[in-house]
Structures are given as C-alpha cells and as structure tokens.
Amino acid sequence: MKYSRLRNNLIAWNRKIHIYLGLFLLLFIWLFGLSGLLLNHHWEFSNSWVKRKVVSYEKMIKPGKEKDGKNMAREIADKLNLSGNIVNVRYSADSSVLDFILTKPGTRYDLSTKLRTCRVTIKETILDQWAAIKALHTMRNPTQKEMNDRHQPTLAYIWSFSIDVVSVGLIIICLGGWYLWYQAEKKRFYLGLISLTTGVILAAYILMF
Amino acid sequence: MKKYFKLFKEIHLHTGLFISPFLIIFAGSALILNHNFIDWQEDWQEWTFSVDDKVDEEIGFTLPEADLTKIEYAKNILRQAGISGEIANIFGDSVQMYIPVTKPGYRISVKADLVSGTAYIHTERTNFWKKLIWLHKMPGPHNANIRGNWVHTRLWGSAVDFSMICLFISSITGIVLWYYFKKDRIAGIIALLIGLLSFSSLIIGFTVL
C-alpha cells in the first residue's frame, strides 16, 4: 500500500517535471536543434560569410593604464563601447600596434590599435541571423589552452551556464521519459522498447566502431 | 481534436524514445565541451605530424593513379594500408602526403612516402569522453569540401539529422499533449513564459549590447 502510494507520487512528480522542464527549455532545445542542423549542412541560404557586410572606420581613444595585452584589449573595447569575446590578441614586432578580434553572435570586429597615437582602426563584419544562430551553438567557456588569450564577457558566461542547464535538463527529460514509458501497459511498453532499442543500437554502433 | 490524442501520444512516445540515446550523447558531450573536465581540444598540427616522431607500423602500397582527386588518392592509400576512418585533412606535395585520420576512439597519423610507396602509421587511442565529443562535432562545419568521406561519418550525420527531425516532432506533439491536460495548463504556461523570458533576454542581450 505504502509502496504503491510512493510509486504513484513518483509518477505524478516525474510527469510534472517532464512537462514543465520540457516547456521551459523548449526554445533553447529548438535553437540547439536547428543550429546543429545548420552546422552539419552547408545550405546555401545559411552561407553567411558570402553575404557579409563589412564596414571600416577609425576612432581615437584616450591612452590607457593597462600594459598587459589581454587587459589592454579589454580596456580598448570598453572605451569603444564594444562587447564580446576577445580573441587573438597580438602585438606587432615592434610592439607599437595591438591587434585583436572581438566577436559576438552575428558580428565580428577586427581591431588594430596604434598605441603611440591611440588611433583604432575597426573593421566591422556584419553577418546574418543564421551565423548568429550557429555562433550561439558553438559559444562555450574557454578551455585551459584558451584561458590566457581570451576574454569572455559576463553575458557569454551566462549563455554557457544556460548550455549546462539545457544539457542537464535534457538528460532529466530523457530519463524521466524512460520511467514514464516503463510504467505503460504491456503493449505500449514493448512497442516503445523497439523504438528505444533502435536508437540505442544506432548510437552505440558508431560509438563502439 | 480529441480523437487525435492517442495518435499524438504514440508519436511523442516513440520519437522521444528513439532520440533519447542521441540526446543523452549530445547533452553529455555538451557538458564536457563547455567545461574543462578533460583536455578535449585537439592540436591538429601535433596530431598530423606525430608520425614524424613515432612510427608504429610501416606498410607498402602501390601508387594510386595520378588522375584521382586528392581525397580519392588519400582514400586509396588508406585502403591499401587497411586504415578506416574520417580523413580530417590532407597535407603534402608530390613527394609525401600527410593524412590525419579520425574515428571514435582513435586518431591516426599517416605519412605516405610517394616515392618509395611506404605508409608510415602512428595510432593513438582516445578515451570514451573523446568518443562522445567526436560524435557531437561530426560531421560539423569545418573542411566542408572533404568532410563525410567515411561511410560511418555519413551514417552518423544522417542519424543525427533524423533524430533532430524527431526532436522537433516530439516537442510539437509534447505541446499538443500538454494542451489536452487542463490541470497542467497554468503551470505549463508559467514554465513556457519563464523559458521565453530567459531565452529572449539572452538573445536581446547579445544583439543589442
């Protein structure tokens, strides 16, 4: 009796979590599903690089306090009111020019700063919405190797955290779905077993090859 | 609409069960890619030329016909050397050819001496987590002109495409099923709105800021 009540409670809670978590993550799941398809195929409509718009301009900034390349790049970006991931920070051979790239979904800035004159040349590359969607899929925390020459803004860290939430959420939805299916009547259970086994065999085949 | 309830329920169950192993692979590998649990980032150059320092095997081969395309030429050499896998890239000249090959659990570096007809091979095993990452990133957007040159990469790519289509079907039928459950409507709308708010504020943040 006690076991049966516990089981019913578990089913009810599991069902609620399955539904609400699925609804909460719906847009994130669709975004990652769509962007995954875009990344795996090279459809003409999503060839954003061909359709890019490039604008170049120059700006003057006040001399900064930072001496380290990455921090200096960040300071320059702040002064120009630009935000995004800072990558590829490098000095010219005589250390008079600092180059770096600043990226955010759909936009890329190539910045070249003449440190003596404080003149910044900005090449802004504007990409379409498909490039932005793909960039959201591949945006992640920096690896150990990238730590030293990459700066990531807070928003990108929040996005990386949302990737964790979606990943854990998807695993919970799948495991919860298995439990709900396990409670189904015999006929549905066996038919479901065929669907699950097909998926497992297909995935395991490549994994074990 | 009510008469379709059972049909939607079955579609949701079977598509969901079929894609669940794929989703678990993608969600698990996304967590690894987003964090530094393991050093997953490949040093392509180190891998490609690792055979210069270490040779595990030397195999003779007959020079393929010169009119073959670069990829077919490399595939021909690999076939003769008994190596299967996805050719990640091809480097070389008329004297030698470097062919980095990858497949779940392995990364192989092949140097083909096109004068003597000898293939020098260095094979490295990779762990289970790197297998998951391989599956997450394949076929992917890079080296589009040669990507999918291994039958199993193409098979995996098709399985991923199919599972993504199933994901969309499963989520849409999930929404329809939720609509039938009157008791869950309010809480579901709240979950959906919270998800929408979180998603849109991140997207607006990336595009406006």
Side-chain angles (χ1 to χ4, degrees), chain B residues 62-74:
Chain B
T62 318
L63 285 179
E65 287 168 32
D67 60 345
L68 289 177
T69 58
K70 218 175 176 184
I71 186 77
E72 285 304 324
Y73 198 93

Side-chain angles (χ1 to χ4, degrees), chain A residues 41 104 143 160 164 195 205, chain B residues 14 34-35 41 152 161 209:
Chain A
H41 296 274
K104 62 179 187 176
T143 60
S160 301
D164 290 347
S195 303
Y205 173 70
Chain B
H14 294 291
N34 200 24
H35 297 278
Q41 215 166 24
H152 290 94
D161 288 351
L209 296 178

